[in-house]
Amino acid sequence: MINAETNEVGGKMKAKLLSIAALLVMTGCSSTTTVPVSAPSDDSSKQVVPATSTQPASSRNIEPTTKSANNGSQSAVERLLDQAQQQQQQGRYSSASSSIERAIRIAPSNPVPYAQLAKLKQHMGDNNSARQLANKALSLQPPASTRREMRSLLDSI
């Protein structure tokens, strides 16, 4: 009789622990982002730069990334590449380079960040790094448009 009661209590305890674990996992997967909003100013000459781009990736000349089992890392790579492109447009080349390098650390087998960094390095006048990065991008079998861009970059160096 004691064994039956112990098993029943143990079973209920396991069920509660599994419920708590599932709740913790679900809570850990969700995230919220708070974006500070400033009061509008009377100076209409200031340009407002949105926190995220509203353009689809295809209109920003960013190749879609290859599929992987970890969709979270892919979206992180895309966000970093978007961020890098915005930083480059603002003339913040060092920051753009750092953002792309983070994308490469997240997805080292994705050719797109290497290609974007190669173009940035060429723009910055670092042709040696641009050449190495273009060759690395090509070695990872990029999409056809990226392959053409990298071959063109290598021809121009």
Side-chain angles (χ1 to χ4, degrees), residues 33-99:
T33 304
T34 304
V35 178
V37 179
S38 61
S41 68
D42 292 336
D43 185 4
S44 61
S45 66
K46 289 184 180 177
Q47 181 181 5
V48 177
V49 179
T52 59
S53 177
T54 57
Q55 296 175 318
S58 60
S59 68
R60 291 188 309 269
N61 298 325
I62 296 177
E63 294 280 339
T65 54
T66 55
K67 300 278 184 190
S68 79
N70 189 349
N71 290 333
S73 70
Q74 288 307 112
S75 61
V77 168
E78 290 168 1
R79 282 193 305 271
L80 285 165
L81 294 180
D82 287 346
Q83 179 181 356
Q85 190 169 32
Q86 289 175 358
Q87 291 165 332
Q88 184 175 353
Q89 290 169 351
Q90 296 167 354
R92 298 171 43 217
Y93 303 121
S94 178
S95 296
S97 180
S98 295
S99 294

Side-chain angles (χ1 to χ4, degrees), residues 61-64 111-116 119 134 137-138 141-153:
N61 298 325
I62 296 177
E63 294 280 339
V112 176
Y114 291 99
Q116 190 168 338
K119 290 185 281 186
L138 288 170
Q141 302 173 344
S145 60
T146 302
R147 197 168 38 253
R148 283 190 299 273
E149 283 182 320
M150 293 300 97
R151 287 184 180 142
S152 175
L153 183 146

